[in-house]
C-alpha cells in the first residue's frame, strides 16, 4: 500500500500516525484552570528533551483551532505537573480525555485526590507513582493545525518509595501504560534484558554554567 501524505485530511493523518508511532508513553498533566480548579488531561506525544537541566516536552494540539485547556493554563500560570499513571489508573486516564468546559475539574469528576505542589502552585495526583513538577520553558509551533510543542523544566521528581533503585526506575514495578492507535492502550509486557553497552558518560557542554 502506498499513501500520499498530501492527500490525507488532518484527521486521517492523525489516525494513521498514531497507529505508526507506537507505543507512546502518556503524560497525565495537571494544570490550574479558572478559579483554581485542577484540570487533568492525558497526552501521548511526549518525551524528554534534556537531562541537564531535566526537561520534558509534550505536543499539545488544538480543537477547532483553539488551544486546549492544558495549553492555556500552562501559558497563564507558567507551570504544570506531569503525572505518570500505572495499570491501576488506566480507566481514569482514559476518562480524563473527555472534553469539558474550562471551569470543570476532571480531578473532581473522577474523585482523584491531589497533593499540593512542593515548588509550584499546581498540585500532583496522589495516586500517581511518579509526578514531575515543571516550570514552563518554551513553546514552538509546528504544522498547519496549530499544534505546539511545550517544553517544561523539571524542578522536582516525586517517586513512590521502592520504585527507584541505584538511581534508576524499576520499570517492571512501575507498571506503566502506553497509548497505541485509537482508544487502545497497552501494558509493559515482557522485559528483554541485553548485555549493557559501554557509553560515554553525559557531561555539560564547555562554556555552560
Amino acid at each position: 500500500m502506498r499513501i500520499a501524505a498530501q492527500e490525507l485530511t488532518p484527521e486521517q493523518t492523525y489516525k494513521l500516525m498514531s497507529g505508526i508511532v507506537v507505543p507512546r508513553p502518556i503524560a497525565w498533566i495537571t494544570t490550574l484552570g479558572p478559579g483554581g480548579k485542577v484540570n487533568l488531561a492525558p497526552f501521548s506525544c511526549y518525551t524528554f528533551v534534556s537531562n541537564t537541566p531535566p526537561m520534558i516536552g509534550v505536543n499539545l494540539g488544538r480543537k477547532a483551532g483553539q488551544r486546549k485547556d492544558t495549553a492555556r493554563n500552562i501559558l497563564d500560570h507558567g507551570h504544570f505537573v506531569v503525572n505518570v499513571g500505572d495499570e491501576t489508573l488506566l480507566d481514569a486516564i482514559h476518562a480524563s480525555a473527555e472534553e469539558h468546559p474550562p471551569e470543570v475539574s476532571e480531578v473532581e469528576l473522577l474523585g482523584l485526590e491531589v497533593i499540593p505542589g512542593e515548588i509550584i502552585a499546581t498540585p500532583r495526583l496522589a495516586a500517581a507513582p511518579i509526578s514531575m513538577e515543571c516550570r514552563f520553558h518554551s513553546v514552538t509551533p509546528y504544522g498547519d493545525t496549530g499544534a505546539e510543542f511545550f517544553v517544561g523544566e523539571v524542578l522536582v521528581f516525586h517517586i513512590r518509595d521502592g520504585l527507584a533503585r541505584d538511581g534508576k526506575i524499576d520499570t517492571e514495578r512501575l507498571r506503566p501504560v502506553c497509548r497505541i492507535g485509537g482508544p487502545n492502550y497497552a501494558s509493559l509486557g515482557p522485559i528483554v534484558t541485553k548485555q549493557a553497552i559501554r557509553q560515554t558518560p553525559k557531561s555539560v557542554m564547555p562554556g555552560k554554567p
Side-chain angles (χ1 to χ4, degrees):
M1 176 183 289
R2 175 185 179 277
I3 300 175
Q6 66 271 18
E7 296 177 1
L8 299 175
T9 66
E11 188 67 19
Q12 290 171 328
T13 304
Y14 172 79
K15 290 180 179 180
L16 186 65
M17 293 184 69
S18 63
I20 293 173
V21 185
V22 292
R24 299 187 307 280
I26 301 170
W28 205 13
I29 300 180
T30 45
T31 56
L32 288 179
K37 293 285 188 178
V38 181
N39 178 272
L40 176 65
F43 297 90
S44 61
C45 291
Y46 134 78
T47 187
F48 71 89
V49 297
S50 170
N51 54 11
T52 306
M55 293 184 181
I56 53 180
V58 186
N59 183 73
L60 303 181
R62 300 195 183 212
K63 292 291 185 180
Q66 301 298 312
R67 283 191 173 108
K68 295 180 179 179
D69 296 343
T70 300
R72 289 197 303 269
N73 294 342
I74 292 174
L75 292 173
D76 286 346
H77 296 282
H79 47 73
F80 59 101
V81 176
V82 172
N83 303 276
V84 178
D86 60 19
E87 293 176 0
T88 67
L89 297 167
L90 180 55
D91 288 342
I93 292 172
H94 183 66
S96 67
E98 186 172 349
E99 297 179 25
H100 297 285
E103 65 275 7
V104 174
S105 169
E106 291 81 5
V107 166
E108 294 178 4
L109 286 178
L110 296 172
L112 296 171
E113 181 184 351
V114 296
I115 299 174
E118 180 179 308
I119 296 180
I120 64 175
T122 303
R124 58 189 172 96
L125 296 175
I130 296 176
S131 297
M132 295 172 281
E133 296 187 29
C134 301
R135 176 172 57 208
F136 172 67
H137 175 270
S138 59
V139 59
T140 305
Y142 286 97
D144 300 327
T145 61
E148 296 172 309
F149 191 70
F150 281 73
V151 174
E153 178 183 349
V154 180
L155 302 177
V156 60
F157 298 88
H158 297 280
I159 302 171
R160 181 181 294 163
D161 290 345
L163 284 183
R165 297 182 178 180
D166 300 323
K168 296 181 180 180
I169 298 298
D170 185 336
T171 312
E172 188 170 15
R173 181 170 291 188
L174 173 60
R175 299 168 61 198
V177 292
C178 66
R179 181 79 184 274
I180 50 181
N184 301 300
Y185 302 82
S187 55
L188 191 61
I191 295 178
V192 179
T193 303
K194 299 289 187 180
Q195 182 177 349
I197 296 176
R198 186 180 62 184
Q199 295 183 338
T200 303
K202 307 294 188 294
S203 61
V204 175
M205 292 289 289
K208 295 290 185 179

